[in-house]
Amino acid sequence: MFKPLWVPVLLLALVVLFVWKSDLATLAAGIALFMLGMFHLQDGFRAFTGGALERWLKRSTNRLWKSLLFGVASTALVQSSSLVTLLTMAFLSAGMISLVAGIGIIFGANLGTTTGAWLIALVGLKVDLSVAAMPLLVFGVLLGRRAESLWKGLGQLLLGMGLLFLGIDLMKAGFVGFEGLLSLDGLSVSGWVGVLIYAFIGLLATVLMQSSHAALMLTLAALASGQLLYGNALAMAVGANLGTTVTAVIGAVGSNNAGRRLAAAHILFNLITAVVALAILPTLVRSVDWTADLLGIAAEAHTLKLALFHTLFNVLGLLIMLPWIPLLVKYLMRWLPDQPAVGDTVTGSATLSEQPRMRAQFLNDSALLHADTALKVLDQEVRNLAALARQVVAAAVYLPPGGLQDLSREMLHRMVLRKVPLERREDAEALYERHVKGVYADIIDFSSRIDQSLQPEQQQLLLDDNAAARELIEAVKAANYLQRNLRKQVDSQQPAIHQSYDMLREQCGLAIVELARLLDMRGDREAQTDVFEHYEEEEAFFAEHYQQEVQRHLRNRELDGWQATSLLNDLHAVLRIRRHLYRAHVILAEKPLASTGEALGEPGGRIEPTFTLS
């Protein structure tokens, strides 16, 4: 029933320990409530940042000093540097902030963790916080049950604060009840060996609880109750700070290279800060004593001096690392470069068949931490699929998949008239299986995992992106259908058949050229509207002209009835390709669909083949 086997063994051991020593159960309950409170604070924070998050981030992080302040303030607010780290990795992986801004937030978050130590040392260990916790819990539960996201988020924040306060009180009570039984000062080891041992204990506590705040709270409570010596507590604080890098490592596993660059910067900052702090620990202790005297902190107020020490060595880390940020960014971009866009993967005479099997480029697990970042990377991936779909459609009609959008109409026409070399004739069905299907499967899987409560506009964005992806898949399937006849007739010795298929190939190429131009028109609604209107007019003209040409060839006995039927069916396939590409690009160009209802195939809209053989 339980896998792995150590889970029931651990649970049984905890039950025995709790029965044997009830104060241990109190301490464990305090840690659990403290961490549960942080989770509710995180949920409340997410509820307040929907909608305009990207614009807010850009305004708040467009300068390095703003990014630092943002990191300090956000960590002080949610009392979790781990959450801020993971969210920042999500923002960066989604392209919502720059690497410099992300590094600034992470560095500021390290300084922001010191606010928790100060709050606990100043208030948490001296005041009965359970008195304040009770009403916060009541109001938090009541507001958290509301359907409105604003009230629900406020309820989560109040509930989180109440649980934090209650957890702190229980941890204090648990340590006081030990009466020296588990006193950590009994493990005192002199010299640098002792410093390293306690630094490792602090690191291990942070890794196990996945929270440096919880580890610091535990250290402060043990120090206040006399269970831990002051010098050992300083080493544990350094270890706890270093332990937060585990969060970055975990986040990097599910992120893209942008998120991994930020994780590397975070690890470097904490590692260098910890090494320097431990190397000059005696000097830092003297600096703490001097600053404490200056601030009027009593010599025996070890909890306040620990908070001061925690602040000083994080400030020291900032002073060391800030001048090196430009160089750090340069080398991180070199070590972990961005993946090339789909449009850059096929150039010159290369074919899609020669490219590695493609999967999603932008989707990553870290983006799922927040609805806005998840929707941002989903939109990027659908645009990536649009570029890939245009390439596959071009390859299906034996046109070069790369660089087609740079051709003029005359150059495209001359290219269509040339004989297609055998090595350029790619199998559309194989390309769909090799490249398109995997990307689309990743999109569907990722969309199903966006489980945050979405606001109405976010729900619409999710629906739109999935609708655009479906249209792109239908365009590729229509191109696959078209290629079945094209493969047989592209080398036909009958001029009428050869000319007709050249017209169909050229029309597909023109559609790709027109829609690819939209990439340079993001935000220019007037230019986008002109492209769409020209696209519709050209399609209507081509459909009418093509049917007239088929009818002329049929009257002149250049085609028989079977051949004319096949050509009209393939015209229908080309129109379907154009229609599905058009619908997808309407969505991606953010053109209001309400004004394009007729253009999307409703009665009175798009032109279908109307010529019959009767």
Side-chain angles (χ1 to χ4, degrees):
M1 181 182 297
F2 289 98
K3 293 182 179 180
L5 186 60
W6 60 265
V7 174
V9 174
L10 176 62
L11 293 175
L12 181 61
L14 287 175
V15 170
V16 172
L17 287 173
F18 293 162
V19 172
W20 171 64
K21 190 69 176 177
S22 61
D23 291 316
L24 183 60
T26 303
L27 176 61
I31 296 173
L33 289 176
F34 188 89
M35 297 178 67
L36 184 61
M38 287 195 301
F39 294 149
H40 282 286
L41 281 175
Q42 294 169 15
D43 290 340
F45 175 74
R46 294 191 190 103
F48 277 107
T49 53
L53 176 62
E54 185 173 3
R55 295 191 300 273
W56 178 53
L57 277 173
K58 287 181 178 178
R59 288 196 302 267
S60 303
T61 62
N62 57 1
R63 296 288 187 275
L64 180 59
W65 66 270
K66 286 186 179 181
S67 301
L68 288 168
L69 290 179
F70 182 88
V72 173
S74 57
T75 306
L77 176 64
V78 301
Q79 287 297 294
S80 175
S81 61
S82 296
L83 172 66
V84 174
T85 297
L86 293 175
L87 281 174
T88 305
M89 291 177 67
F91 298 151
L92 185 60
S93 67
M96 299 170 74
I97 59 175
S98 66
L99 178 57
V100 173
I103 290 175
I105 293 173
I106 292 297
F107 287 5
N110 276 274
L111 186 58
T113 58
T114 62
T115 59
W118 281 107
L119 288 172
I120 296 168
L122 286 169
V123 180
L125 299 175
K126 300 176 182 179
V127 178
D128 185 5
L129 293 178
S130 62
V131 175
M134 299 308 172
L136 289 174
L137 292 173
V138 172
F139 292 129
V141 170
L142 290 175
L143 293 176
R145 296 177 64 85
R146 296 287 296 271
E148 300 89 341
S149 60
L150 181 64
W151 289 110
K152 188 173 184 178
L154 180 59
Q156 293 288 338
L157 288 176
L158 294 177
L159 183 60
M161 291 172 61
L163 290 171
L164 281 178
F165 290 168
L166 198 58
I168 291 172
D169 255 24
L170 286 176
M171 279 192 277
K172 286 191 300 181
F175 266 118
V176 170
F178 277 130
E179 298 178 352
L181 182 63
L182 296 178
S183 179
L184 293 176
D185 62 1
L187 302 176
S188 179
V189 180
S190 60
W192 288 105
V193 175
V195 170
L196 294 177
I197 288 175
Y198 276 92
F200 178 75
I201 292 174
L203 185 151
L204 186 62
T206 301
V207 171
L208 292 177
M209 294 186 288
Q210 283 294 291
S211 170
S212 61
H213 275 72
L216 275 174
M217 176 60 226
L218 201 60
T219 303
L220 284 163
L223 181 61
S225 62
Q227 306 295 320
L228 184 64
L229 295 179
Y230 172 62
N232 297 336
L234 299 182
M236 284 187 66
V238 175
N241 206 65
L242 182 59
T244 59
T245 59
V246 175
T247 300
V249 172
I250 294 172
V253 172
S255 185
N256 54 20
N257 277 1
R260 294 185 185 111
R261 287 193 289 266
L262 188 62
H266 183 42
I267 292 169
L268 282 174
F269 177 88
N270 283 42
L271 185 60
I272 292 173
T273 302
V275 170
V276 172
L278 291 176
I280 62 170
L281 189 58
T283 304
L284 272 178
V285 171
R286 288 193 293 270
S287 299
V288 169
D289 292 338
W290 179 82
T291 308
D293 289 339
L294 192 65
L295 296 176
I297 298 175
E300 299 302 318
H302 289 150
T303 54
L304 289 175
K305 291 173 72 175
L306 176 59
L308 180 59
F309 170 81
H310 192 226
T311 302
L312 286 180
F313 88 78
N314 273 288
V315 170
L316 175 64
L318 283 176
L319 294 176
I320 294 172
M321 295 297 296
L322 282 178
W324 298 97
I325 287 180
L327 189 62
L328 180 62
V329 169
K330 176 183 176 181
Y331 280 103
L332 287 174
M333 293 298 295
R334 181 181 302 176
W335 293 334
L336 295 166
D338 290 320
Q339 293 179 322
V342 166
D344 300 331
T345 59
V346 184
T347 57
S349 60
T351 62
L352 278 175
S353 303
E354 298 170 349
Q355 303 304 310
R357 184 179 296 273
M358 294 185 188
R359 297 302 295 263
Q361 289 187 6
F362 299 97
L363 305 181
N364 57 87
D365 290 343
S366 66
L368 290 168
L369 187 64
H370 195 284
D372 283 344
T373 56
L375 293 173
K376 180 73 174 180
V377 298
L378 179 62
D379 181 71
Q380 292 172 340
E381 196 59 58
V382 174
R383 293 177 186 279
N384 173 58
L385 180 62
L388 183 58
R390 293 195 300 269
Q391 290 184 354
V392 172
V393 169
V397 295
Y398 303 147
L399 292 173
L404 196 63
Q405 64 272 16
D406 299 325
L407 299 179
S408 64
R409 297 177 70 96
E410 292 76 15
M411 294 172 65
L412 176 63
H413 180 69
R414 289 197 298 269
M415 180 178 292
V416 169
L417 294 180
R418 297 176 195 153
K419 182 177 177 62
V420 182
L422 291 177
E423 63 271 12
R424 303 291 307 180
R425 302 183 186 185
E426 302 193 70
D427 186 349
E429 185 172 2
L431 293 179
Y432 170 76
E433 293 289 336
R434 182 175 178 81
H435 298 313
V436 178
K437 191 173 183 179
V439 175
Y440 184 56
D442 290 339
I443 288 174
I444 295 299
D445 178 68
F446 186 84
S447 298
S448 69
R449 294 160 61 199
I450 303 178
D451 57 359
Q452 292 96 337
S453 298
L454 300 180
Q455 297 179 2
E457 61 271 20
Q458 293 173 327
Q459 293 175 355
Q460 188 61 50
L461 288 173
L462 180 61
L463 291 173
D464 286 347
D465 280 330
N466 278 278
R470 286 195 300 272
E471 295 292 346
L472 293 168
I473 295 301
E474 292 301 321
V476 172
K477 290 182 176 180
N480 181 31
Y481 173 84
L482 173 63
Q483 194 188 64
R484 295 173 187 171
N485 280 340
L486 177 63
R487 185 184 295 115
K488 302 173 185 176
Q489 305 295 344
V490 69
D491 294 320
S492 173
Q493 299 303 311
Q494 288 184 253
I497 293 179
H498 190 82
Q499 177 187 349
S500 297
Y501 276 103
D502 281 349
M503 291 173 65
L504 294 177
R505 292 173 60 217
E506 184 174 1
Q507 192 60 209
C508 288
L510 288 172
I512 294 169
V513 170
E514 287 293 311
L515 294 176
R517 288 175 52 200
L518 292 170
L519 298 176
D520 301 323
M521 301 178 182
R522 190 78 187 270
D524 189 345
R525 291 297 181 88
E526 185 175 351
Q528 290 174 349
T529 302
D530 290 341
V531 170
F532 285 128
E533 290 177 354
H534 180 264
Y535 188 92
E536 296 170 2
E537 292 170 359
E538 185 174 77
E539 181 178 304
F541 174 80
F542 172 75
E544 186 68 26
H545 174 68
Y546 188 85
Q547 292 176 88
Q548 291 174 358
E549 286 294 301
V550 171
Q551 188 174 21
R552 182 177 64 81
H553 290 312
L554 189 60
R555 281 198 307 266
N556 295 338
R557 295 295 183 262
E558 297 170 338
L559 296 172
D560 59 30
W562 286 99
Q563 292 168 331
T565 301
S566 294
L567 289 173
L568 290 177
N569 287 337
D570 290 338
L571 169 63
H572 180 74
V574 169
L575 294 179
R576 282 194 293 126
I577 292 170
R578 290 182 59 97
R579 175 185 307 156
H580 291 305
L581 288 176
Y582 174 84
R583 287 174 172 172
H585 285 76
V586 164
I587 297 172
L588 295 179
E590 301 174 342
K591 182 179 179 182
L593 291 177
S595 64
T596 59
E598 292 186 354
L600 296 184
E602 295 178 4
R606 310 284 287 214
I607 294 180
E608 299 288 351
T610 57
F611 175 69
T612 64
L613 298 176
S614 57

